[in-house]
Amino acid sequence: MSIVKFTNCYLCDRGELNKRDLYIDTKSGKIISEPIGEVEIKETDLLGQVLAPGFIDIQINGCYGFDYSHYESEEQYTLGYNKCMKNLLKTGTTSMCPTMITSTNKMYNKVLPHLSPKRVNDKCESLGAHLEGPFISLKKSGCHERKNITTAKEGFKSIKQMYGDDFTKHVRIVTGAPEVEGMLEMIPKLTEEGVVYSIGHTAASFDIAVEAVKKGASMVTHMYNAMPQPHHREPGVVGLAAYENSPYFGVIADGIHVHKAAAALLYHSTPDKFCLVTDAMNLMGLPD
């Protein structure tokens, strides 16, 4: 039986809930219009529940005991990765950008091929890696290994030396500090290669942040965190939420990283650019 009908449910579509049926062709895996004529359909009553698209998490460092930045062996990494992605599906997350924090060239070369974009239907799928560092500010390093933080003084050559010559096959987002030597000039080249440049772990002023956006930066990593806090005379990176060409921005809205009132300020300023992220680590999903 190839057609499934979900009925007695509310569909979450374009930010609104509408009570209507949903039909899926299980052979193609696609949503279809209501079939016409005599077609055998398997009907599932959802008892008034909400049917929503899967979540996309663009920043998650690990879960269920697995860390995307930690590599011991090919076998260990493959097992941990598959366990992580299968369990994530249970949370409603259907695709994501597995995130590596500041690492070494050796580690990037081992890990990145595992994180390439892959279309799968039995677990959460990777959209490509999110590389958070190592081209970040020492002033805003957070939990990143300071000894591995570096600059891009040789331009795009520095990027390829760190991530590998073919990194664009595996990577979708790079978080970097635009004030770090060489990074501002690298933004157009990265975006030409299909990589999103995200401003993060930075001590940049508002003016430098605006310059980064003009060069192609289209994202800010965990807004408020690992950056100067906004001041009415110098709003810093956070001020980009009110900029005429605001980039998208991730927010860890857990009530700890960002106060709910601060999150509300961002949301009401630029709701269509506000992205929830977990920024979860390997302890997520484990017992207390």
Side-chain angles (χ1 to χ4, degrees):
M1 190 176 301
S2 64
I3 307 297
V4 172
K5 173 187 177 182
F6 292 105
T7 190
N8 189 17
C9 58
Y10 291 88
L11 303 186
C12 180
D13 187 17
R14 300 181 187 276
E16 296 181 351
L17 291 180
N18 297 293
K19 191 169 187 179
R20 64 175 187 268
D21 298 333
L22 184 75
Y23 296 85
I24 296 176
D25 183 334
T26 59
K27 287 183 178 178
S28 67
K30 294 181 178 179
I31 295 171
I32 60 173
S33 301
E34 182 177 357
I36 299 174
E38 291 192 16
V39 180
E40 190 175 1
I41 298 174
K42 179 181 179 182
E43 186 173 299
T44 300
D45 187 337
L46 291 184
L47 305 174
Q49 296 184 92
V50 173
L51 192 57
F55 296 125
I56 299 172
D57 195 344
I58 57 174
Q59 187 177 3
I60 175 169
N61 307 287
C63 54
Y64 302 99
F66 181 74
D67 187 333
Y68 294 111
S69 301
H70 185 67
Y71 187 100
E72 291 182 358
S73 69
E74 181 88 10
E75 181 183 17
Q76 173 269 336
Y77 198 92
T78 300
L79 287 172
Y81 177 86
N82 287 332
K83 176 186 176 184
C84 187
M85 301 306 256
K86 281 185 176 293
N87 279 301
L88 272 176
L89 200 59
K90 300 173 186 176
T91 71
T93 303
T94 52
S95 55
M96 48 89 93
C97 291
T99 304
M100 288 185 71
I101 62 171
T102 293
S103 298
T104 62
N105 165 260
K106 183 179 179 181
M107 191 64 73
Y108 289 121
N109 284 330
K110 287 181 177 179
V111 169
L112 287 183
H114 291 273
L115 308 183
S116 294
K118 299 180 185 73
R119 293 309 307 266
V120 294
N121 57 20
D122 62 340
K123 54 181 175 283
C124 178
E125 64 186 30
S126 171
L127 299 174
H130 178 170
L131 302 185
E132 197 181 346
F135 307 102
I136 59 175
S137 169
L138 282 167
K139 296 177 182 178
K140 297 293 180 181
S141 58
C143 65
H144 292 234
E145 281 273 11
R146 292 174 62 85
K147 66 180 181 181
N148 293 326
I149 292 172
T150 187
T151 67
K153 62 182 178 181
E154 294 188 70
F156 204 64
K157 182 180 178 182
S158 296
I159 306 291
K160 295 181 82 170
Q161 284 177 340
M162 180 59 65
Y163 298 148
D165 288 338
D166 62 348
F167 78 95
T168 55
K169 293 195 306 185
H170 314 302
V171 177
R172 286 297 166 266
I173 305 172
V174 167
T175 290
E179 75 277 14
V180 165
E181 183 181 6
M183 284 309 286
L184 204 57
E185 294 73 24
M186 286 305 97
I187 296 174
K189 180 62 176 173
L190 281 168
T191 56
E192 284 170 15
E193 296 287 337
V195 176
V196 170
Y197 181 87
S198 187
I199 302 167
H201 282 273
T202 176
S205 65
F206 177 75
D207 289 342
I208 292 176
V210 167
E211 186 63 26
V213 171
K214 288 179 177 178
K215 287 184 176 293
S218 57
M219 184 77 199
V220 177
T221 295
H222 45 53
M223 190 74 100
Y224 286 120
N225 300 124
M227 62 185 63
Q229 296 310 292
H231 185 276
H232 62 282
R233 291 195 176 93
E234 173 47 73
V237 177
V238 177
L240 290 176
Y243 180 57
E244 59 185 355
N245 187 28
S246 171
Y248 291 89
F249 46 87
V251 178
I252 312 170
D254 58 4
I256 298 170
H257 285 80
V258 178
H259 190 282
K260 63 181 181 180
L265 281 172
L266 290 178
Y267 179 76
H268 291 296
S269 173
T270 321
D272 60 334
K273 299 297 180 71
F274 188 106
C275 304
L276 293 172
V277 296
T278 63
D279 199 10
M281 59 185 289
N282 62 338
L283 300 179
M284 173 193 155
L286 296 181
D288 288 343

